Amino acid sequence: MTYCVGILVKEGLTMIADTRTNAGLDNVSQYKKLHIFEKPGDRMIAVATAGNLAITQAVLSFLNEGIENKDTGQMETIWTTPSMFKTAQLVGRAVREVYRIDGEALEQSNAGFEVTMLVGGQVAKGRLRLFMVYRQGNFIEATEDTPFLQIGEHKYGKPVLDRAITFATDLIEATKLGLISMDSTMRSNLGVGMPIDLVTVKRDAIAHDILHRIEAGEPYFHDLRERWSAALRAAYRAIPIPPYK
Amino acid sequence: MTYCVGILVKEGLTMIADTRTNAGLDNVSQYKKLHIFEKPGDRMIAVATAGNLAITQAVLSFLNEGIENKDTGQMETIWTTPSMFKTAQLVGRAVREVYRIDGEALEQSNAGFEVTMLVGGQVAKGRLRLFMVYRQGNFIEATEDTPFLQIGEHKYGKPVLDRAITFATDLIEATKLGLISMDSTMRSNLGVGMPIDLVTVKRDAIAHDILHRIEAGEPYFHDLRERWSAALRAAYRAIPIPPYK
Protein backbone atom coordinates (compact mmCIF):
# COMPACT_ATOMS: atom_id res chain seq x y z
CA MET A 1 0.00 0.00 0.00
CA THR A 2 0.95 3.64 -0.37
CA TYR A 3 -0.18 7.07 0.64
CA CYS A 4 0.85 10.19 -1.25
CA VAL A 5 -0.74 13.62 -1.09
CA GLY A 6 -0.14 16.74 -3.15
CA ILE A 7 -1.45 20.13 -2.03
CA LEU A 8 -1.40 23.18 -4.30
CA VAL A 9 -1.97 26.49 -2.54
CA LYS A 10 -1.50 30.07 -3.61
CA GLU A 11 2.03 30.21 -2.23
CA GLY A 12 3.20 26.92 -3.69
CA LEU A 13 3.06 23.15 -3.79
CA THR A 14 3.77 20.46 -1.21
CA MET A 15 4.02 16.74 -1.95
CA ILE A 16 4.41 14.01 0.65
CA ALA A 17 4.84 10.26 0.16
CA ASP A 18 5.55 7.25 2.33
CA THR A 19 8.11 4.63 1.30
CA ARG A 20 6.61 1.24 2.19
CA THR A 21 5.80 -1.32 -0.44
CA ASN A 22 4.49 -4.76 0.24
CA ALA A 23 3.50 -7.89 -1.59
CA GLY A 24 1.72 -9.52 1.30
CA LEU A 25 2.36 -8.78 4.98
CA ASP A 26 5.47 -10.97 4.95
CA ASN A 27 7.15 -9.22 2.06
CA VAL A 28 7.68 -5.59 3.01
CA SER A 29 10.32 -3.35 1.48
CA GLN A 30 11.28 0.29 1.32
CA TYR A 31 11.15 2.11 -2.03
CA LYS A 32 11.14 5.81 -2.77
CA LYS A 33 7.81 6.92 -4.21
CA LEU A 34 8.54 10.64 -4.50
CA HIS A 35 10.79 11.33 -7.47
CA ILE A 36 12.33 14.73 -8.19
CA PHE A 37 13.26 16.03 -11.65
CA GLU A 38 14.89 19.36 -10.96
CA LYS A 39 16.99 21.73 -13.03
CA PRO A 40 16.69 25.04 -11.19
CA GLY A 41 15.29 27.82 -13.36
CA ASP A 42 14.23 25.36 -16.08
CA ARG A 43 12.01 22.83 -14.29
CA MET A 44 11.11 21.50 -10.87
CA ILE A 45 8.88 18.45 -11.26
CA ALA A 46 7.92 15.92 -8.58
CA VAL A 47 6.25 12.61 -9.41
CA ALA A 48 4.65 10.51 -6.64
CA THR A 49 3.66 6.95 -7.45
CA ALA A 50 1.12 4.42 -6.18
CA GLY A 51 0.32 0.94 -7.42
CA ASN A 52 2.21 -2.07 -8.68
CA LEU A 53 5.94 -1.42 -8.20
CA ALA A 54 6.99 -3.03 -11.49
CA ILE A 55 4.62 -0.68 -13.33
CA THR A 56 5.69 2.49 -11.51
CA GLN A 57 9.39 1.68 -12.00
CA ALA A 58 8.84 1.04 -15.70
CA VAL A 59 6.96 4.35 -16.05
CA LEU A 60 9.84 6.20 -14.36
CA SER A 61 12.35 4.54 -16.69
CA PHE A 62 10.31 5.71 -19.68
CA LEU A 63 10.17 9.25 -18.26
CA ASN A 64 13.96 9.34 -18.03
CA GLU A 65 14.78 7.44 -21.23
CA GLY A 66 12.05 9.01 -23.31
CA ILE A 67 9.05 8.04 -25.40
CA GLU A 68 8.52 8.94 -29.00
CA ASN A 69 5.93 11.67 -29.46
CA LYS A 70 3.91 10.32 -32.40
CA ASP A 71 2.81 13.84 -33.41
CA THR A 72 6.35 15.21 -33.72
CA GLY A 73 8.43 12.05 -34.21
CA GLN A 74 10.75 13.36 -31.45
CA MET A 75 11.82 11.43 -28.34
CA GLU A 76 10.44 13.23 -25.28
CA THR A 77 11.68 12.86 -21.72
CA ILE A 78 10.56 14.50 -18.49
CA TRP A 79 13.66 16.72 -18.87
CA THR A 80 12.49 18.17 -22.19
CA THR A 81 8.73 18.72 -21.90
CA PRO A 82 7.83 22.36 -22.59
CA SER A 83 5.07 22.68 -19.94
CA MET A 84 3.45 20.91 -16.98
CA PHE A 85 0.46 19.97 -19.16
CA LYS A 86 2.82 18.28 -21.63
CA THR A 87 4.57 16.64 -18.67
CA ALA A 88 1.29 15.15 -17.43
CA GLN A 89 0.58 13.98 -20.98
CA LEU A 90 4.02 12.38 -21.15
CA VAL A 91 3.42 10.53 -17.86
CA GLY A 92 0.07 9.37 -19.24
CA ARG A 93 1.76 8.13 -22.43
CA ALA A 94 4.37 6.29 -20.34
CA VAL A 95 1.57 4.59 -18.37
CA ARG A 96 -0.13 3.58 -21.62
CA GLU A 97 3.17 2.28 -23.02
CA VAL A 98 3.70 0.07 -19.96
CA TYR A 99 0.09 -1.14 -20.29
CA ARG A 100 0.74 -1.99 -23.95
CA ILE A 101 3.75 -4.09 -22.93
CA ASP A 102 2.61 -5.66 -19.63
CA GLY A 103 -1.14 -5.05 -19.32
CA GLU A 104 -2.41 -8.23 -20.94
CA ALA A 105 -0.13 -10.53 -18.93
CA LEU A 106 -1.04 -8.76 -15.68
CA GLU A 107 -4.75 -8.94 -16.36
CA GLN A 108 -4.59 -12.59 -17.43
CA SER A 109 -2.97 -13.46 -14.10
CA ASN A 110 -5.61 -11.39 -12.23
CA ALA A 111 -2.82 -9.17 -10.87
CA GLY A 112 -4.56 -6.20 -12.44
CA PHE A 113 -2.92 -3.09 -13.87
CA GLU A 114 -2.86 -0.69 -10.94
CA VAL A 115 -1.02 2.62 -11.06
CA THR A 116 -1.82 6.22 -10.14
CA MET A 117 0.57 9.13 -10.09
CA LEU A 118 0.74 12.69 -8.85
CA VAL A 119 2.67 15.03 -11.11
CA GLY A 120 3.37 18.46 -9.67
CA GLY A 121 5.69 21.35 -10.34
CA GLN A 122 6.58 24.12 -12.71
CA VAL A 123 8.35 24.25 -16.04
CA ALA A 124 10.13 27.40 -17.32
CA LYS A 125 7.60 30.25 -17.55
CA GLY A 126 4.49 28.08 -17.13
CA ARG A 127 2.28 27.93 -14.06
CA LEU A 128 2.86 25.79 -10.97
CA ARG A 129 0.40 22.91 -11.42
CA LEU A 130 -0.56 19.58 -9.86
CA PHE A 131 -2.07 16.63 -11.74
CA MET A 132 -3.25 13.13 -10.91
CA VAL A 133 -2.64 10.63 -13.72
CA TYR A 134 -4.92 7.59 -13.83
CA ARG A 135 -4.03 4.06 -14.93
CA GLN A 136 -5.74 4.81 -18.23
CA GLY A 137 -3.21 7.60 -18.85
CA ASN A 138 -5.66 10.48 -18.62
CA PHE A 139 -5.51 12.97 -15.74
CA ILE A 140 -7.21 15.60 -13.62
CA GLU A 141 -5.79 18.78 -12.14
CA ALA A 142 -5.98 20.36 -8.69
CA THR A 143 -7.86 23.68 -8.70
CA GLU A 144 -8.55 26.52 -6.29
CA ASP A 145 -11.80 24.75 -5.30
CA THR A 146 -10.10 21.40 -4.74
CA PRO A 147 -6.49 22.16 -3.93
CA PHE A 148 -5.34 18.68 -2.90
CA LEU A 149 -5.08 15.30 -4.62
CA GLN A 150 -4.36 11.96 -2.99
CA ILE A 151 -3.30 8.56 -4.31
CA GLY A 152 -3.14 5.15 -2.63
CA GLU A 153 -4.75 4.66 0.77
CA HIS A 154 -6.47 8.03 0.78
CA LYS A 155 -9.48 7.73 3.06
CA TYR A 156 -8.00 7.75 6.57
CA GLY A 157 -6.13 10.96 5.94
CA LYS A 158 -8.84 12.82 4.02
CA PRO A 159 -11.08 14.21 6.81
CA VAL A 160 -8.40 16.53 8.20
CA LEU A 161 -7.63 17.86 4.71
CA ASP A 162 -11.33 18.29 3.90
CA ARG A 163 -11.76 20.44 6.98
CA ALA A 164 -8.62 22.52 6.89
CA ILE A 165 -7.08 23.00 3.44
CA THR A 166 -8.04 25.90 1.22
CA PHE A 167 -6.17 27.54 -1.63
CA ALA A 168 -5.31 30.40 0.75
CA THR A 169 -3.62 28.15 3.34
CA ASP A 170 0.07 29.02 3.88
CA LEU A 171 2.43 26.57 2.22
CA ILE A 172 4.10 25.58 5.48
CA GLU A 173 0.70 25.09 7.15
CA ALA A 174 -0.42 22.97 4.21
CA THR A 175 2.75 20.92 4.64
CA LYS A 176 1.99 20.43 8.34
CA LEU A 177 -1.57 19.34 7.48
CA GLY A 178 -0.20 16.92 4.92
CA LEU A 179 2.01 15.40 7.61
CA ILE A 180 -0.97 15.10 9.99
CA SER A 181 -2.90 13.40 7.19
CA MET A 182 0.06 11.01 6.69
CA ASP A 183 0.13 10.28 10.43
CA SER A 184 -3.60 9.38 10.48
CA THR A 185 -3.04 7.04 7.54
CA MET A 186 0.00 5.32 9.06
CA ARG A 187 -1.87 4.71 12.31
CA SER A 188 -4.72 2.92 10.51
CA ASN A 189 -2.91 1.07 7.70
CA LEU A 190 0.23 -0.98 8.30
CA GLY A 191 0.98 -0.84 4.57
CA VAL A 192 1.88 2.85 4.86
CA GLY A 193 5.11 3.48 6.75
CA MET A 194 8.18 5.57 7.53
CA PRO A 195 10.40 7.13 6.31
CA ILE A 196 8.38 9.89 4.67
CA ASP A 197 9.60 11.96 1.75
CA LEU A 198 8.58 15.58 1.49
CA VAL A 199 9.11 18.29 -1.10
CA THR A 200 7.79 21.83 -1.22
CA VAL A 201 8.03 24.25 -4.13
CA LYS A 202 7.30 27.97 -3.97
CA ARG A 203 5.37 29.41 -6.88
CA ASP A 204 7.66 30.77 -9.62
CA ALA A 205 10.85 29.69 -7.82
CA ILE A 206 11.35 26.78 -10.28
CA ALA A 207 13.42 25.03 -7.64
CA HIS A 208 12.62 23.10 -4.51
CA ASP A 209 12.12 24.88 -1.21
CA ILE A 210 12.14 21.96 1.26
CA LEU A 211 13.43 18.55 0.16
CA HIS A 212 13.57 16.27 3.15
CA ARG A 213 13.27 12.66 4.25
CA ILE A 214 11.65 12.19 7.67
CA GLU A 215 13.18 9.11 9.31
CA ALA A 216 11.48 7.10 12.05
CA GLY A 217 11.99 8.73 15.44
CA GLU A 218 12.78 12.17 14.05
CA PRO A 219 11.99 14.69 16.83
CA TYR A 220 9.72 17.13 14.95
CA PHE A 221 7.50 14.47 13.39
CA HIS A 222 7.40 12.50 16.64
CA ASP A 223 6.32 15.68 18.42
CA LEU A 224 3.68 16.42 15.75
CA ARG A 225 2.19 12.94 16.22
CA GLU A 226 2.13 13.29 20.02
CA ARG A 227 0.65 16.77 19.94
CA TRP A 228 -2.01 15.80 17.43
CA SER A 229 -3.05 12.78 19.49
CA ALA A 230 -3.15 14.85 22.68
CA ALA A 231 -5.11 17.62 20.96
CA LEU A 232 -7.67 15.15 19.58
CA ARG A 233 -8.14 13.65 23.02
CA ALA A 234 -8.55 17.10 24.56
CA ALA A 235 -10.94 18.07 21.76
CA TYR A 236 -13.36 15.21 22.19
CA ARG A 237 -13.21 15.48 25.97
CA ALA A 238 -14.20 19.15 25.73
CA ILE A 239 -17.37 18.34 23.77
CA PRO A 240 -20.42 17.96 26.06
CA ILE A 241 -21.82 14.44 26.39
CA PRO A 242 -24.95 13.53 24.39
CA PRO A 243 -28.13 14.67 26.17
CA TYR A 244 -30.28 11.86 24.74
CA LYS A 245 -32.55 9.56 26.70
CA MET B 1 -23.34 3.46 1.05
CA THR B 2 -23.65 3.05 4.80
CA TYR B 3 -21.73 3.63 7.98
CA CYS B 4 -22.50 1.77 11.19
CA VAL B 5 -20.31 1.44 14.25
CA GLY B 6 -20.70 -0.68 17.37
CA ILE B 7 -18.59 -0.02 20.47
CA LEU B 8 -18.49 -2.42 23.40
CA VAL B 9 -16.99 -0.99 26.59
CA LYS B 10 -16.99 -2.19 30.17
CA GLU B 11 -20.09 -0.19 31.02
CA GLY B 12 -22.12 -1.21 27.98
CA LEU B 13 -22.72 -1.11 24.26
CA THR B 14 -23.41 1.72 21.83
CA MET B 15 -24.47 1.26 18.21
CA ILE B 16 -24.84 4.06 15.68
CA ALA B 17 -26.05 3.88 12.07
CA ASP B 18 -26.88 6.31 9.32
CA THR B 19 -30.02 5.94 7.20
CA ARG B 20 -29.04 6.74 3.62
CA THR B 21 -29.25 4.16 0.86
CA ASN B 22 -28.48 4.81 -2.74
CA ALA B 23 -28.45 3.02 -6.03
CA GLY B 24 -26.46 5.63 -7.91
CA LEU B 25 -26.26 9.29 -6.97
CA ASP B 26 -29.66 9.97 -8.51
CA ASN B 27 -31.53 7.34 -6.55
CA VAL B 28 -31.17 8.16 -2.86
CA SER B 29 -33.59 7.00 -0.18
CA GLN B 30 -33.88 6.81 3.57
CA TYR B 31 -34.06 3.39 5.24
CA LYS B 32 -33.51 2.43 8.84
CA LYS B 33 -30.37 0.33 9.25
CA LEU B 34 -30.43 -0.04 13.03
CA HIS B 35 -33.06 -2.58 14.08
CA ILE B 36 -34.04 -3.21 17.69
CA PHE B 37 -35.36 -6.51 19.05
CA GLU B 38 -36.19 -5.74 22.65
CA LYS B 39 -38.18 -7.54 25.34
CA PRO B 40 -36.89 -5.99 28.57
CA GLY B 41 -35.44 -8.56 30.98
CA ASP B 42 -35.40 -11.26 28.28
CA ARG B 43 -33.39 -9.74 25.42
CA MET B 44 -32.13 -6.48 24.01
CA ILE B 45 -30.63 -7.08 20.58
CA ALA B 46 -29.64 -4.49 17.98
CA VAL B 47 -28.81 -5.39 14.39
CA ALA B 48 -27.13 -2.84 12.10
CA THR B 49 -26.99 -3.60 8.39
CA ALA B 50 -24.76 -2.66 5.46
CA GLY B 51 -24.88 -3.83 1.88
CA ASN B 52 -27.49 -4.53 -0.76
CA LEU B 53 -30.88 -3.41 0.62
CA ALA B 54 -32.81 -6.35 -0.84
CA ILE B 55 -30.46 -8.73 0.97
CA THR B 56 -30.55 -6.94 4.33
CA GLN B 57 -34.35 -6.68 4.24
CA ALA B 58 -34.65 -10.40 3.42
CA VAL B 59 -32.29 -11.28 6.30
CA LEU B 60 -34.40 -9.20 8.70
CA SER B 61 -37.58 -10.94 7.50
CA PHE B 62 -35.97 -14.31 8.19
CA LEU B 63 -34.89 -13.15 11.66
CA ASN B 64 -38.48 -12.24 12.48
CA GLU B 65 -40.25 -15.12 10.71
CA GLY B 66 -37.75 -17.77 11.67
CA ILE B 67 -35.40 -20.29 10.08
CA GLU B 68 -35.41 -23.99 10.80
CA ASN B 69 -32.50 -25.07 12.97
CA LYS B 70 -31.36 -28.22 11.20
CA ASP B 71 -29.86 -29.62 14.42
CA THR B 72 -33.07 -29.37 16.44
CA GLY B 73 -35.76 -29.29 13.75
CA GLN B 74 -37.23 -26.23 15.52
CA MET B 75 -38.02 -22.87 13.90
CA GLU B 76 -35.77 -20.24 15.46
CA THR B 77 -36.34 -16.50 15.40
CA ILE B 78 -34.35 -13.62 16.87
CA TRP B 79 -37.01 -13.58 19.62
CA THR B 80 -36.24 -17.14 20.75
CA THR B 81 -32.45 -17.57 20.55
CA PRO B 82 -31.03 -18.63 23.93
CA SER B 83 -27.82 -16.56 23.77
CA MET B 84 -26.02 -13.85 21.80
CA PHE B 85 -23.74 -16.46 20.25
CA LYS B 86 -26.79 -18.36 19.00
CA THR B 87 -28.21 -15.04 17.79
CA ALA B 88 -25.09 -14.32 15.73
CA GLN B 89 -25.30 -17.86 14.36
CA LEU B 90 -28.95 -17.29 13.45
CA VAL B 91 -28.08 -14.07 11.61
CA GLY B 92 -25.33 -15.99 9.80
CA ARG B 93 -27.80 -18.72 8.81
CA ALA B 94 -30.24 -16.08 7.58
CA VAL B 95 -27.51 -14.55 5.42
CA ARG B 96 -26.67 -17.99 4.00
CA GLU B 97 -30.36 -18.69 3.34
CA VAL B 98 -30.69 -15.44 1.37
CA TYR B 99 -27.51 -16.35 -0.53
CA ARG B 100 -28.99 -19.78 -1.33
CA ILE B 101 -32.09 -18.10 -2.78
CA ASP B 102 -30.64 -14.97 -4.45
CA GLY B 103 -26.86 -15.39 -4.57
CA GLU B 104 -26.52 -17.01 -7.98
CA ALA B 105 -28.78 -14.49 -9.74
CA LEU B 106 -26.95 -11.57 -8.10
CA GLU B 107 -23.53 -12.90 -9.03
CA GLN B 108 -24.59 -13.70 -12.59
CA SER B 109 -25.68 -10.08 -13.06
CA ASN B 110 -22.39 -8.84 -11.51
CA ALA B 111 -24.41 -7.14 -8.76
CA GLY B 112 -22.48 -9.19 -6.22
CA PHE B 113 -23.75 -10.46 -2.89
CA GLU B 114 -22.79 -7.74 -0.44
CA VAL B 115 -23.97 -7.73 3.16
CA THR B 116 -22.34 -7.19 6.55
CA MET B 117 -24.12 -6.89 9.88
CA LEU B 118 -23.37 -5.84 13.42
CA VAL B 119 -25.24 -7.87 16.04
CA GLY B 120 -25.00 -6.54 19.57
CA GLY B 121 -26.84 -6.94 22.82
CA GLN B 122 -27.62 -9.28 25.67
CA VAL B 123 -29.95 -12.23 26.06
CA ALA B 124 -31.32 -13.35 29.46
CA LYS B 125 -28.38 -14.19 31.77
CA GLY B 126 -25.71 -14.24 29.03
CA ARG B 127 -23.03 -11.62 28.52
CA LEU B 128 -23.40 -8.35 26.63
CA ARG B 129 -21.66 -9.06 23.31
CA LEU B 130 -21.03 -7.51 19.91
CA PHE B 131 -20.49 -9.45 16.68
CA MET B 132 -19.84 -8.64 13.04
CA VAL B 133 -21.43 -11.13 10.64
CA TYR B 134 -19.82 -11.46 7.20
CA ARG B 135 -21.53 -12.15 3.90
CA GLN B 136 -20.38 -15.78 4.22
CA GLY B 137 -22.43 -16.09 7.42
CA ASN B 138 -19.48 -16.48 9.80
CA PHE B 139 -18.63 -13.80 12.32
CA ILE B 140 -16.07 -12.17 14.63
CA GLU B 141 -16.59 -10.65 18.06
CA ALA B 142 -15.45 -7.40 19.66
CA THR B 143 -13.02 -7.95 22.54
CA GLU B 144 -11.36 -5.88 25.26
CA ASP B 145 -8.37 -5.40 22.91
CA THR B 146 -10.53 -4.34 19.96
CA PRO B 147 -13.71 -2.93 21.43
CA PHE B 148 -15.27 -1.50 18.28
CA LEU B 149 -16.48 -2.93 14.98
CA GLN B 150 -17.48 -0.99 11.87
CA ILE B 151 -19.37 -1.87 8.71
CA GLY B 152 -19.84 -0.01 5.44
CA GLU B 153 -17.72 3.07 4.72
CA HIS B 154 -15.44 2.56 7.71
CA LYS B 155 -12.15 4.27 6.88
CA TYR B 156 -12.92 7.98 7.27
CA GLY B 157 -14.26 7.49 10.78
CA LYS B 158 -11.66 5.01 12.01
CA PRO B 159 -8.71 7.26 13.01
CA VAL B 160 -10.61 8.98 15.85
CA LEU B 161 -11.76 5.61 17.21
CA ASP B 162 -8.27 4.11 16.89
CA ARG B 163 -6.86 6.91 18.98
CA ALA B 164 -9.53 7.28 21.63
CA ILE B 165 -11.58 4.15 22.31
CA THR B 166 -10.53 1.63 24.92
CA PHE B 167 -12.59 -0.94 26.81
CA ALA B 168 -12.42 1.37 29.86
CA THR B 169 -13.98 4.38 28.05
CA ASP B 170 -17.27 5.52 29.62
CA LEU B 171 -20.32 4.47 27.63
CA ILE B 172 -21.49 8.04 27.07
CA GLU B 173 -17.97 9.09 25.98
CA ALA B 174 -17.85 6.12 23.60
CA THR B 175 -21.20 7.26 22.21
CA LYS B 176 -19.87 10.77 21.69
CA LEU B 177 -16.80 9.34 19.90
CA GLY B 178 -19.07 7.22 17.73
CA LEU B 179 -20.95 10.38 16.73
CA ILE B 180 -17.67 12.18 15.92
CA SER B 181 -16.67 9.17 13.80
CA MET B 182 -20.05 9.37 12.02
CA ASP B 183 -19.54 13.10 11.43
CA SER B 184 -16.11 12.52 9.83
CA THR B 185 -17.64 9.89 7.56
CA MET B 186 -20.59 12.05 6.50
CA ARG B 187 -18.27 14.92 5.61
CA SER B 188 -16.22 12.73 3.27
CA ASN B 189 -18.85 10.41 1.74
CA LEU B 190 -22.14 11.70 0.33
CA GLY B 191 -23.55 8.16 0.53
CA VAL B 192 -23.68 8.39 4.33
CA GLY B 193 -26.33 10.78 5.63
CA MET B 194 -28.75 12.01 8.30
CA PRO B 195 -30.82 11.12 10.22
CA ILE B 196 -28.67 8.98 12.50
CA ASP B 197 -30.03 6.20 14.69
CA LEU B 198 -28.44 5.55 18.05
CA VAL B 199 -28.94 2.93 20.73
CA THR B 200 -27.03 2.37 23.95
CA VAL B 201 -27.37 -0.59 26.30
CA LYS B 202 -25.92 -0.80 29.81
CA ARG B 203 -24.35 -4.11 30.76
CA ASP B 204 -26.83 -6.45 32.47
CA ALA B 205 -29.75 -4.03 32.08
CA ILE B 206 -31.24 -6.18 29.27
CA ALA B 207 -33.08 -3.09 28.01
CA HIS B 208 -32.04 -0.06 26.05
CA ASP B 209 -30.63 2.98 27.77
CA ILE B 210 -30.71 5.59 24.98
CA LEU B 211 -32.80 4.95 21.87
CA HIS B 212 -32.78 8.05 19.72
CA ARG B 213 -32.96 9.31 16.16
CA ILE B 214 -30.82 12.38 15.46
CA GLU B 215 -32.54 14.46 12.78
CA ALA B 216 -30.76 16.95 10.53
CA GLY B 217 -30.29 20.27 12.32
CA GLU B 218 -30.68 18.85 15.82
CA PRO B 219 -28.92 21.29 18.19
CA TYR B 220 -26.66 18.86 20.11
CA PHE B 221 -25.31 17.09 17.04
CA HIS B 222 -24.96 20.38 15.17
CA ASP B 223 -22.97 21.74 18.11
CA LEU B 224 -20.80 18.59 18.26
CA ARG B 225 -19.92 19.00 14.58
CA GLU B 226 -19.08 22.69 15.00
CA ARG B 227 -17.02 22.13 18.12
CA TRP B 228 -15.12 19.23 16.59
CA SER B 229 -14.27 21.26 13.49
CA ALA B 230 -13.18 24.24 15.57
CA ALA B 231 -11.11 22.02 17.88
CA LEU B 232 -9.35 20.35 14.93
CA ARG B 233 -8.51 23.73 13.45
CA ALA B 234 -7.18 24.94 16.79
CA ALA B 235 -5.25 21.69 17.23
CA TYR B 236 -3.36 21.86 13.97
CA ARG B 237 -2.72 25.57 14.37
CA ALA B 238 -1.13 24.92 17.76
CA ILE B 239 1.40 22.47 16.30
CA PRO B 240 4.70 24.17 15.40
CA ILE B 241 5.48 24.44 11.70
CA PRO B 242 7.93 21.98 10.16
CA PRO B 243 11.57 23.06 10.68
CA TYR B 244 12.82 21.44 7.48
CA LYS B 245 14.93 23.09 4.83
Side-chain angles (χ1 to χ4, degrees):
Chain A
M1 211 56 219
T2 288
Y3 178 51
C4 308
V5 58
I7 307 171
L8 183 76
V9 293
K10 190 169 181 203
E11 191 185 354
L13 168 73
T14 187
M15 288 173 69
I16 303 171
D18 84 311
T19 53
R20 187 166 291 174
T21 71
N22 66 295
L25 278 172
D26 56 353
N27 189 357
V28 177
S29 314
Q30 181 180 322
Y31 281 92
K32 192 165 69 170
K33 301 172 192 173
L34 183 63
H35 304 271
I36 308 297
F37 304 89
E38 179 172 20
K39 198 174 145 194
D42 174 65
R43 66 192 56 231
M44 166 61 223
I45 301 168
V47 176
T49 61
N52 180 307
L53 183 63
I55 298 171
T56 61
Q57 289 188 338
V59 169
L60 287 163
S61 293
F62 275 119
L63 294 181
N64 269 305
E65 296 201 357
I67 298 179
E68 189 184 326
N69 184 330
K70 276 167 190 151
D71 295 338
T72 63
Q74 301 281 308
M75 286 297 276
E76 258 189 345
T77 79
I78 196 161
W79 299 101
T80 60
T81 48
S83 70
M84 283 306 295
F85 179 69
K86 297 282 187 196
T87 305
Q89 283 189 313
L90 177 71
V91 175
R93 281 208 306 283
V95 169
R96 285 173 185 163
E97 182 65 11
V98 178
Y99 184 78
R100 193 183 64 76
I101 299 164
D102 297 328
E104 191 179 336
L106 284 167
E107 289 182 349
Q108 277 179 0
S109 72
N110 281 322
F113 185 83
E114 290 307 326
V115 56
T116 335
M117 301 204 166
L118 296 179
V119 181
Q122 190 165 1
V123 172
K125 296 212 168 47
R127 280 188 294 122
L128 184 69
R129 298 173 82 170
L130 171 64
F131 298 92
M132 177 161 72
V133 180
Y134 294 107
R135 52 154 288 189
Q136 291 84 0
N138 60 342
F139 48 84
I140 60 171
E141 180 174 6
T143 64
E144 292 194 23
D145 288 330
T146 301
F148 66 89
L149 297 172
Q150 305 167 287
I151 57 176
E153 178 61 276
H154 63 281
K155 291 189 181 182
Y156 298 117
K158 189 161 182 282
V160 65
L161 301 178
D162 278 336
R163 287 170 198 271
I165 295 275
T166 72
F167 190 69
T169 304
D170 288 347
L171 180 58
I172 196 71
E173 290 288 323
T175 302
K176 192 170 79 181
L177 285 159
L179 293 175
I180 294 170
S181 173
M182 178 62 77
D183 172 42
S184 295
T185 310
M186 286 197 300
R187 280 183 192 264
S188 291
N189 189 322
L190 283 183
V192 180
M194 306 281 289
I196 296 164
D197 286 322
L198 161 65
V199 65
T200 70
V201 185
K202 288 200 172 153
R203 195 174 287 272
D204 297 328
I206 316 193
H208 75 262
D209 179 32
I210 296 170
L211 183 57
H212 185 74
R213 168 161 287 192
I214 303 171
E215 299 285 353
E218 199 215 58
Y220 171 75
F221 191 64
H222 179 79
D223 180 61
L224 174 143
R225 304 187 82 170
E226 294 292 312
R227 282 173 185 259
W228 184 247
S229 273
L232 287 191
R233 280 194 297 274
Y236 82 75
R237 284 189 186 132
I239 293 176
I241 60 171
Y244 311 130
K245 256 301 158 198
Chain B
M1 212 55 218
T2 287
Y3 179 52
C4 309
V5 57
I7 307 170
L8 183 75
V9 292
K10 190 170 181 202
E11 190 185 354
L13 169 73
T14 187
M15 288 173 69
I16 303 171
D18 83 311
T19 54
R20 187 166 292 173
T21 71
N22 65 296
L25 277 173
D26 56 351
N27 188 358
V28 177
S29 314
Q30 182 180 323
Y31 281 93
K32 191 164 69 171
K33 300 172 193 174
L34 183 63
H35 304 271
I36 308 297
F37 305 88
E38 179 173 20
K39 199 174 144 193
D42 175 65
R43 67 191 56 230
M44 167 60 224
I45 302 168
V47 176
T49 62
N52 180 306
L53 183 63
I55 298 171
T56 61
Q57 289 188 337
V59 169
L60 288 163
S61 293
F62 275 119
L63 294 181
N64 270 305
E65 295 200 356
I67 297 180
E68 191 183 322
N69 183 330
K70 275 164 191 154
D71 295 338
T72 64
Q74 301 281 309
M75 286 297 275
E76 259 189 345
T77 79
I78 198 164
W79 299 102
T80 60
T81 46
S83 71
M84 282 306 295
F85 180 68
K86 297 283 187 196
T87 305
Q89 283 190 313
L90 177 70
V91 174
R93 281 208 304 284
V95 169
R96 286 173 184 165
E97 182 66 11
V98 177
Y99 184 79
R100 194 183 63 76
I101 298 165
D102 296 328
E104 191 179 338
L106 284 167
E107 289 183 350
Q108 277 180 359
S109 72
N110 281 324
F113 184 84
E114 289 308 325
V115 55
T116 334
M117 300 204 165
L118 297 179
V119 182
Q122 191 166 0
V123 172
K125 295 211 168 50
R127 281 187 295 123
L128 183 68
R129 298 173 81 170
L130 172 63
F131 298 92
M132 177 161 71
V133 180
Y134 294 107
R135 53 154 289 190
Q136 291 84 358
N138 61 342
F139 47 84
I140 60 169
E141 181 173 7
T143 64
E144 292 193 23
D145 288 328
T146 302
F148 67 88
L149 296 171
Q150 304 168 288
I151 57 176
E153 177 62 276
H154 63 282
K155 291 189 180 181
Y156 297 118
K158 188 161 182 282
V160 65
L161 301 177
D162 277 337
R163 287 170 197 273
I165 295 277
T166 73
F167 190 67
T169 304
D170 288 348
L171 181 57
I172 196 72
E173 290 288 324
T175 302
K176 193 170 81 181
L177 284 159
L179 293 175
I180 293 170
S181 172
M182 178 62 78
D183 171 42
S184 294
T185 310
M186 287 195 301
R187 279 182 193 264
S188 291
N189 188 323
L190 283 182
V192 179
M194 307 280 291
I196 295 163
D197 287 322
L198 162 65
V199 65
T200 71
V201 185
K202 289 202 170 151
R203 196 174 286 272
D204 298 328
I206 315 192
H208 76 261
D209 178 34
I210 296 169
L211 182 57
H212 184 74
R213 169 162 287 192
I214 303 170
E215 300 285 353
E218 199 216 58
Y220 171 75
F221 190 65
H222 179 80
D223 180 60
L224 174 143
R225 304 187 81 171
E226 294 293 312
R227 281 174 186 259
W228 184 246
S229 274
L232 288 192
R233 279 193 297 273
Y236 82 73
R237 283 188 188 132
I239 294 176
I241 60 170
Y244 310 130
K245 254 304 157 194

